[in-house]
Amino acid sequence: MAFFFIADLAAAVHKGKKEVVLSEQSLRDKVKGAWAGQTLGCSYGGPTEFKFLGTIIQDYIPIPWDKHTVKNWYDTFPGLYDDVYVDLTFVEVFERCGLDAPVDSFATAFGRTEYPLWHANQVARYNLLQGVKTPQSGYWKNNPHAHCIDFQIEADFAGIMSPGMPNQAAEICDRVGHIMSYGEGWYGGVYVATMYSLAYVSNDIEYIVKEALKVIPEESDFHKCMSDVIRWHRKYPKDWKRTWFELQNKWSEEISCPEGIHNSFNIGTKINGAYILLGLLYGQGDFTKTIDIATRAGQDSDCNPASAAGILGTMIGYSNIPESWKEALYEVEDIPFSNTDISLNKAYDMTYRHASEMLQKHGNGKVGTDFIIRRENIRPVALEVAFENLKVSDKLTIEKSIDDVNPFSFEGTGLVVKGYVAGGLPTDYTAEMDVYIDGQFYETTALPQYINHRKCELFFCYDRPVGKHTVTFKWKNPVSNGKIWITEVIIYTTK
C-alpha cells in the first residue's frame, strides 16, 4: 500500500502537477525513515571510517552487522554520531525559538556545545568562542577547513523539516551552514538537504539526485563533480567501481584541508558527496545496496552512507526499511544521543511537528489529514568560491619549537602552520602567540589547551602578496617546561 502511494507522488511530480498530497501518516513515516536511515548508515560505516583512504573496500572484506550493532556504538563510542548530534543542536533551536529562529541563536547554541568536534566544526566553534561571528566563523580565510565535509553531514535536519520545499531547505542552510562552512563545504549541505526535501515527493532516486542539483550554481566545481557522477552512472550503469575510479582520477586532489595535503586522506565535500551519489544511484532504491556501496567507496565511510540512507529512508519511509535493519534501532530509540537530551523517538516527534508547521507556514494547505504540497521551482543559491587560484607549492615537516624556527621564511602567498602546545599543561591554560609577518604585527592567536576549545592549526593566512616573506612567532605568556611545537608547514602560491 505504501509503495503505490509513493509511486503516485512520483508520478504527480513527473507529470508536472503543481500539487502533491501527503497524508499525516505518510509524513510521519518519512520523517522517521530519515532519522532512522541516517543512524543506521552511520552505524554500518563506523568500523571502516577513514580506514580505506583512496581505495575501495572490496566486496570480499566483511563489514559486521547484527541487531546489537547500534547499541554497541552508543555504549562504546557515542562520538560516532556527530552526524546526528550536531543536527539535533539545530533542531533544538527551532524547538525553542520557532521556525524564524535567527542566525545568532544557532551560532550561540553551537558555540556553547561541549561534544567532540573536528575540522570545520571545531574551527568554527573556536572562532565563535574567540568572538568571530557567523558567517565569518565559516569563511575560508578564517577557517582552513571550510571545504571539509562537516556541514554536508549535519544538514539533514534542514531537508527533513522542509518536505517538498527545496528552497526553504536552502534558506535554512544559509542561516546555519555558514557557521562552519563556505563554498563547496556549504554546497554539500545545501545539496543533501535539497535531496531530503525532494525525497518526500518522489520515489525516483535519479530524479531526486538530478533535480536537487539545480540548487547548486553550475559554475561551481561541486556542481561539476556531481554532474560527472550522474553522467558516469549513465555510461557505466552497472559498474559503480568504474565511476569511483573516474572520480579518483579527476576529483580527488585536496588543496584546502591541512590534513589532506599530499596524502590519501580526503575529508573534502566534493569527493565524499560524490560517494553519497554512488550509493543512491547504484543502490537503485535498495536500502542494503545503497548503504553498502556508499560505505565501500571509502574515506568518510560512516558519514556518506548516513546521508545516502537518510535520503532513501525519507523516500521509502520507515515502514519500508527492511526489518533486518530496523531491529537494530529498537533498543536505542529512547536513548538520547551523546551530549543531548534528544533520542530518536523524540527527534521523530519534534521534526514531524516542525515539518508540519513549515508546510503551513509556507502556504501549503491541509484538507482533513492530508497536506497539499505545492511544487517549487528550485532557485540556485549564490556562487561562492574559496581557495581561488591557490595551489600548494610545498609541505614541510618541521618538528621544532617556535624558538628554533624564528624567523621562518617562505615564498608564496600564504601558509598553514600545524602544531600544538606541549608540556603537560593544565587544561584551563591558553597560550597566546603573537605573529609577525615581514616584521609587522599580524595577529595574536589564542591556543587553548582544553581539547574542545582547541585551535586546529597554530596559524594560517592566505592573503600575502606573492613573494618571499618572513614569519616570526612570539609566545606572550610562556610557562616553564612548555613549548609551542610546530609539526608541519604548508605553503601556498598562486596558480
Side-chain angles (χ1 to χ4, degrees), residues 231-248:
R231 177 170 58 84
W232 289 325
H233 173 250
R234 288 198 301 266
K235 189 174 182 179
Y236 314 113
K238 296 184 179 180
D239 189 356
W240 73 265
K241 295 178 183 178
R242 176 61 185 268
T243 297
W244 184 96
F245 277 104
E246 297 288 356
L247 283 164
Q248 188 71 10

Side-chain angles (χ1 to χ4, degrees), residues 225-233 243 247 274 277-278 281:
C225 180
M226 300 307 114
S227 296
D228 276 346
V229 180
I230 294 167
R231 177 170 58 84
W232 289 325
H233 173 250
T243 297
L247 283 164
L277 295 199
L278 285 182
L281 291 173

